[in-house]
Amino acid sequence: MNSFDWLSHMGIPSIDKFDIVEVKFKGGRKDYYRNVDHLHLTTGDPVVVDVPNGHHLGYISLQGELVRLQMQKRKIKDDDNILRIYRLANQKDIEKWEEAKNREIPTLYRSKQIIDELGLQMKLSDIEYQADNSKATFYYSADDRVDFRELIKILASEFKIRVEMRQISLRQEAGRIGGIGICGRELCCSTWIHDFKSVSTAAARYQNLSLNPSKLSGQCGRLKCCLNYELDTYMAALEDIPQIEKPLLTEAGAAKLQKTDIFRKLMWFSYNNENNWHSISCERVKEIQEMNEKGITPFDLHQNKEKGIDEEALRSTLELERLDKKFSTKKKKKKRSRSGQSGSDSSLPKSSNVSMDSEKNDDVKNFSDQERPRSRSRRNRPSRSNKGIANDSSNQSQESRSNIAKRQNKSQSQGEGQDNKPKSKGKRRFPPRNKGGQNKGDSND
């Protein structure tokens, strides 16, 4: 049973310090004792305390003002019934207590054999020996009342101790044994819960949980205590959700409730037990209920009246217009980009275009596939001013004439029988490149 002293760092006057401390025993059992001798105690110290007909050993689990709050919570009165602390436990006390603890497991096994021999309908779960080794408490669970008078006589004569039988519930039994829950943490009943409240299946219904016993039950075999943790939140959220006592009447059919989402405020209905579910808000459900009470049946769960053909036609035309706009904008962009490229080409002056066309035709006529024109880089240059264009065009014409004359002489010397290639029809501007032939031409030059 973990506990945290959240007032330990506060400077509380020592004069007004609460003189009752909380002591922890085996299995998470806790009790309160008075520090009469004003011993200097800290959390975790072993102490020897007074118990009826002897003494016992435990550990300090809480002290200070938090003990007062815990006593108020458990409704324990601060009176003379609270026993005292004898002293801090020494090594001899701890060794004697360890010897008494070593007797617990053999006693448990032998006691179960005796219970089976007597045929008693009870389950023995744990045994706790007192530190002075004079008394033992037997914890058991049973569905009905058990007559264990004969059992007490046999146990007392065999183990030479005083016997106390204490019946506990299944939840308390799981808390004493301990374990790991389905959430992956230590069981709540073995860490912090000491007051077990009743849990019913109504808590699972309010939270829309499936009523599966294997999932709803804990290690004790009873319903999980954590079903009550969020129950108040669900009950507050259910106040805004209408109660459905009969199906909702619509022209499409009677709508039956299938599912409710409490926090999203949505409810799912189906027409005539169909597989298709329709979700509507809680406000819409209240509206349909009011209409049914007045004798009015809406068209369906979402609409009060049937929509006309004109509205559907308008909706379809609007969708078609959206699609047309979507695809028309893309085509316009492409056309604009192409027109921009053509406009950049048209920005060149006419004189330069004419000269370029003439050079192209001459080159196509006289150049072979193995030769590459050298004036191509000049054609791709951007346009200049008018004066620069005129000078460049005159220089280009002179160079092209001289180059043509030289190439004609070479072609005549190589062979007059070779036919010139046919003119291009405008599909290609330049002959195809041939790297091998180009290298040969360079070597000839």
Side-chain angles (χ1 to χ4, degrees):
M1 303 289 277
N2 303 325
S3 58
F4 177 72
D5 189 359
W6 50 273
L7 294 175
S8 60
H9 66 283
M10 300 181 66
I12 299 174
S14 59
I15 300 173
D16 298 334
K17 190 174 181 180
F18 197 54
D19 61 345
I20 297 177
V21 297
E22 185 182 66
V23 181
K24 176 183 174 182
F25 300 99
K26 181 185 176 182
R29 183 175 64 88
K30 293 182 179 180
D31 208 345
Y32 298 94
Y33 295 89
R34 194 181 302 277
N35 187 6
V36 179
D37 299 330
H38 301 288
L39 300 172
H40 181 69
L41 303 174
T42 57
T43 303
D45 288 342
V47 292
V48 179
V49 297
D50 184 18
V51 293
N53 300 322
H55 65 273
H56 199 19
L57 191 143
Y59 291 89
I60 301 294
S61 61
L62 202 64
Q63 58 181 341
E65 293 297 323
L66 284 180
V67 180
R68 193 198 302 271
L69 297 176
Q70 290 292 328
M71 292 177 67
Q72 293 176 0
K73 183 178 179 181
R74 298 190 181 187
K75 298 180 180 179
I76 298 174
K77 295 181 179 180
D78 184 5
D79 53 11
D80 296 336
N81 294 327
I82 296 177
L83 301 176
R84 63 188 290 268
I85 295 175
Y86 284 136
R87 63 183 183 275
L88 284 169
N90 52 30
Q91 187 64 29
K92 187 176 180 180
D93 295 330
I94 295 174
E95 289 177 358
K96 191 175 181 180
W97 178 56
E98 291 290 343
E99 292 177 0
K101 283 179 64 178
N102 293 332
R103 294 183 60 188
E104 290 177 357
I105 295 177
T107 305
L108 179 64
Y109 290 155
R110 177 56 184 158
S111 301
K112 287 185 177 181
Q113 291 177 0
I114 296 171
I115 290 171
D116 293 337
E117 292 174 359
L118 296 175
L120 299 177
Q121 298 297 323
M122 58 184 291
K123 179 183 177 183
L124 190 64
S125 59
D126 195 12
I127 297 174
E128 182 181 1
Y129 268 85
Q130 204 165 279
D132 57 1
N133 206 0
S134 63
K135 178 185 174 183
T137 304
F138 292 77
Y139 296 94
Y140 73 96
S141 59
D143 295 334
D144 299 326
R145 189 183 179 115
V146 180
D147 185 9
F148 45 76
R149 289 177 293 181
E150 187 66 25
L151 177 64
I152 292 174
K153 292 178 183 179
I154 297 173
L155 294 176
S157 61
E158 184 164 349
F159 300 112
K160 307 300 181 182
I161 53 174
R162 288 184 292 108
V163 177
E164 179 184 355
M165 303 296 293
R166 185 173 296 179
Q167 186 176 2
I168 58 175
S169 64
L170 293 175
R171 288 191 173 93
Q172 291 174 339
E173 179 184 353
R176 291 187 65 86
I177 296 172
I180 303 298
I182 195 172
C183 59
R185 301 185 63 180
E186 196 174 353
L187 294 179
C188 298
C189 53
S190 62
T191 52
W192 62 276
I193 291 181
H194 55 85
D195 294 331
F196 296 97
K197 298 180 180 178
S198 61
V199 184
S200 62
T201 55
R205 291 194 186 95
Y206 286 130
Q207 300 177 43
N208 288 336
L209 298 175
S210 61
L211 300 178
N212 189 353
S214 62
K215 292 184 178 180
L216 296 179
S217 59
Q219 294 187 4
C220 58
R222 297 289 184 268
L223 292 175
K224 294 178 182 177
C225 299
C226 55
L227 292 175
N228 285 337
Y229 295 168
E230 298 179 356
L231 183 60
D232 295 337
T233 306
Y234 277 90
M235 294 299 292
L238 284 170
E239 294 178 356
D240 299 332
I241 294 177
Q243 295 182 357
I244 307 298
E245 297 178 354
K246 57 183 180 179
L248 302 180
L249 300 178
T250 62
E251 294 181 3
K256 294 183 178 180
L257 179 65
Q258 300 293 340
K259 181 183 174 182
T260 304
D261 193 334
I262 299 173
F263 296 106
R264 292 172 62 191
K265 309 295 183 185
L266 293 177
M267 303 178 76
W268 277 265
F269 291 85
S270 64
Y271 296 112
N272 301 321
N273 295 326
E274 294 179 354
N275 293 328
N276 295 328
W277 293 2
H278 306 274
S279 63
I280 57 176
S281 62
C282 295
E283 297 177 355
R284 176 62 180 169
V285 174
K286 292 178 181 178
E287 183 181 353
I288 295 174
Q289 285 180 339
E290 292 176 356
M291 294 174 68
N292 289 337
E293 289 177 358
K294 297 178 182 179
I296 303 172
T297 56
F299 177 70
D300 58 6
L301 293 173
H302 300 281
Q303 303 169 4
N304 292 334
K305 295 181 180 180
E306 184 179 3
K307 290 187 176 181
I309 300 174
D310 297 336
E311 293 181 359
E312 294 180 357
L314 287 173
R315 182 179 291 179
S316 60
T317 53
L318 288 173
E319 291 179 355
L320 291 173
E321 287 178 358
R322 289 175 185 172
L323 291 173
D324 293 338
K325 289 179 181 179
K326 182 178 179 181
F327 291 105
S328 63
T329 51
K330 291 184 178 180
K331 291 181 180 179
K332 286 181 180 178
K333 288 180 180 178
K334 291 181 180 178
K335 289 179 180 179
R336 287 177 184 173
S337 61
R338 290 178 182 175
S339 63
Q341 293 177 359
S342 62
S344 62
D345 295 337
S346 64
S347 63
L348 296 172
K350 293 181 179 180
S351 60
S352 63
N353 291 331
V354 171
S355 62
M356 288 181 182
D357 293 337
S358 62
E359 289 177 4
K360 289 177 187 177
N361 294 327
D362 295 337
D363 292 339
V364 169
K365 289 177 182 178
N366 300 317
F367 290 178
S368 63
D369 293 339
Q370 300 177 354
E371 294 180 351
R372 182 181 177 183
R374 299 178 183 177
S375 61
R376 187 186 303 169
S377 61
R378 293 183 180 179
R379 294 173 195 148
N380 296 329
R381 291 179 182 176
S383 61
R384 301 176 184 175
S385 61
N386 293 329
K387 292 181 180 181
I389 291 169
N391 293 328
D392 292 338
S393 61
S394 61
N395 294 328
Q396 289 176 2
S397 61
Q398 291 176 2
E399 290 177 359
S400 62
R401 288 173 185 174
S402 61
N403 291 329
I404 290 167
K406 290 179 181 180
R407 288 166 185 162
Q408 286 177 356
N409 294 328
K410 285 182 181 180
S411 61
Q412 289 176 2
S413 63
Q414 289 178 358
E416 294 180 355
Q418 294 179 354
D419 295 333
N420 293 328
K421 292 185 178 181
K423 298 180 181 180
S424 62
K425 298 180 182 182
K427 293 183 180 179
R428 281 186 181 174
R429 293 187 179 181
F430 305 104
R433 299 179 184 178
N434 191 350
K435 292 184 179 180
Q438 192 173 1
N439 294 331
K440 289 179 183 179
D442 294 339
S443 62
N444 292 330
D445 292 337

